[in-house]
Amino acid sequence: MAAEPRRKIIAGNWKMNKTVSEALALVRELRGMVSVLRDKVEIVLAPPFVALHPVAKAIEDSNLKLAGQNCHWEALGAFTGEVAAPMLKEVGCAYVILGHSERRQYFGETDETVNKRAQAVLKAGLLPILCVGETLAEREAGRTLEVVERQVKGGLAGFGGAEVARFVLAYEPVWAIGTGRTATTAQAQEVHAAIRSQLVRLYDGGTAEQVRIQYGGSVKPDNAAELLGQKDVDGALVGGASLKAGDFAAIVKAGA
């Protein structure tokens, strides 16, 4: 019996953008544009923490899901400025983005801390969107697959196949984030296929077939269809284009 095709997942990472009022205005506009795609593609929004609760209320009874942009590995405690996975669960999140390149670059995130956060996310009943990707210097040195495979192995350390099958992985070449540069479809497919092959080696073919691997790196309406048409590209983690309802809706429709 053939495995069911993986359902595309398009996630909008708003980063540190949009006040609560701006977030609600964006969601209201977007909701009407993508409501017809209810069963065709999974749509996830990751607004800033302060907007999560109002956005959760605004997307009730819709086909939009909510994600946190990060979380701490402890469930509670004296960690000023941090947010715990159970808090995100209660506010209405389904996913949490982990290991984004900006967290790694600016805030000292490592494969080990990403792994600890992933454990907390699953324990809280949420699903991780685990990001991996190489810098321009690493790509130019021919180390892309080495770096990505190290990050995948480190991020997934200690998890069994049944757990990993529920993960979303996001390949985001750091040199293509916010730069306007995009990996070619061939470059994206090469890395996505390598990640899936690694999952076969780490777990098994069934697990590897279930894991959805997003591409993230200057995804726009004009390149989304070609990227999402690749065999191993199962969605997109969208940055700047997710801040405009029309652009994000166009990317979602390209994945439907």
Side-chain angles (χ1 to χ4, degrees):
M1 182 172 151
E4 289 187 15
R6 293 179 297 273
R7 187 181 179 207
K8 292 280 197 293
I9 176 168
I10 312 295
N13 177 16
W14 296 2
K15 307 186 181 183
M16 198 176 71
N17 294 290
K18 302 296 181 184
T19 63
V20 171
S21 59
E22 290 169 345
L24 291 174
L26 176 55
V27 167
R28 280 193 289 268
E29 187 179 4
L30 177 66
R31 184 171 167 163
M33 293 179 173
V34 298
S35 59
V36 296
L37 304 173
R38 181 169 293 275
D39 299 318
K40 296 183 178 180
V41 61
E42 190 170 5
I43 311 167
V44 181
L45 304 179
F49 289 130
V50 294
L52 283 173
H53 187 258
V55 168
K57 293 294 184 184
I59 64 175
E60 284 179 351
D61 304 319
S62 79
N63 57 329
L64 301 171
K65 293 183 180 178
L66 202 60
Q69 293 183 16
N70 190 33
C71 74
H72 197 273
W73 53 81
E74 294 290 350
L76 76 171
F79 302 101
T80 300
E82 292 292 331
V83 173
M87 297 174 183
L88 297 178
K89 173 73 173 177
E90 186 178 279
V91 87
C93 288
Y95 290 90
V96 185
I97 298 171
L98 299 174
H100 191 279
S101 64
E102 290 156 6
R103 299 299 311 175
R104 295 177 190 261
Q105 181 179 355
Y106 302 130
F107 303 104
E109 200 77 69
T110 66
D111 296 338
E112 182 182 15
T113 58
V114 169
N115 179 258
K116 290 169 70 175
R117 296 179 203 277
Q119 293 174 41
V121 165
L122 282 188
K123 186 176 180 181
L126 297 163
L127 298 174
I129 297 176
L130 197 158
C131 303
V132 299
E134 83 285 11
T135 64
L136 181 59
E138 288 165 341
R139 173 165 279 275
E140 290 180 340
R143 297 180 57 222
T144 294
L145 298 186
E146 170 200 335
V147 169
V148 169
E149 290 184 4
R150 185 201 77 227
Q151 292 175 343
V152 169
K153 185 176 181 180
L156 299 180
F159 291 108
E163 294 170 315
V164 170
R166 302 166 62 211
F167 275 65
V168 175
L169 298 182
Y171 167 57
E172 37 159 35
V174 180
W175 48 272
I177 298 171
T179 63
R181 297 178 61 174
T182 312
T184 65
T185 50
Q187 287 172 327
Q189 169 58 25
E190 176 192 20
V191 178
H192 281 236
I195 292 171
R196 204 170 306 282
S197 295
Q198 181 185 11
L199 293 173
V200 174
R201 297 193 301 273
L202 290 174
Y203 301 98
D204 54 72
T207 299
E209 279 301 309
Q210 290 181 71
V211 174
R212 292 178 292 176
I213 308 173
Q214 296 177 308
Y215 172 77
S218 295
V219 181
K220 296 181 175 63
D222 60 0
N223 62 26
E226 189 176 359
L227 283 165
L228 294 169
Q230 301 304 300
K231 177 178 181 291
D232 290 293
V233 178
D234 305 313
L237 182 58
V238 185
S242 70
L243 300 174
K244 296 179 180 178
D247 286 356
F248 188 62
I251 294 169
V252 170
K253 289 170 183 173

